[in-house]
Amino acid sequence: ADRDTQDRTLGDRPETKTHHTIVPRNDMAPDPYWRYVKKIGDYSGGGGSRKWKCNFCGYEKTGSVTRVKDHLARVPCRDTGPCKEVLVQ
């Protein structure tokens, strides 16, 4: 990039400073897969893990939305059981 573009990008010139808005994690839309489980309690530590119960089969687990997806899709996983009520097509 040329020097003029670099200056604007870096904000070296007060009249051309670029402002960015960062959306906090709590204001982001939740993953739609959370609607298929009942959230039990609050977050249990970092990484988005929480206790949940499957709306279809009643399976309970503490984990992130990735584990919810694994459960519903019946993905073989050593620490998450498959949902016996959801048919995978």
Side-chain angles (χ1 to χ4, degrees):
D2 65 319
R3 177 72 182 152
D4 187 51
T5 302
Q6 287 177 347
D7 286 346
R8 278 185 273 128
T9 303
L10 297 174
D12 291 340
R13 297 180 186 171
E15 68 276 5
T16 60
K17 280 190 177 176
T18 303
H19 297 282
H20 300 280
T21 303
I22 298 174
V23 179
R25 183 171 176 87
N26 292 341
D27 291 346
M28 295 172 70
D31 193 294
Y33 278 84
W34 282 120
R35 75 178 126 193
Y36 299 112
V37 297
K38 178 180 180 185
K39 297 175 192 173
I40 304 170
D42 293 327
Y43 285 98
S44 59
S49 292
R50 65 183 319 151
K51 188 167 184 175
W52 51 266
K53 181 177 180 178
C54 178
N55 292 340
F56 303 107
C57 71
Y59 179 82
E60 291 188 20
K61 170 82 179 157
T62 298
S64 66
V65 73
T66 301
R67 296 295 168 241
V68 173
K69 293 174 184 181
D70 290 346
H71 172 70
L72 294 173
R74 304 175 104 186
V75 173
C77 184
R78 65 175 163 74
D79 65 346
T80 304
C83 183
K84 298 180 190 311
E85 299 297 322
V86 174
L87 299 176
V88 179
Q89 298 180 4

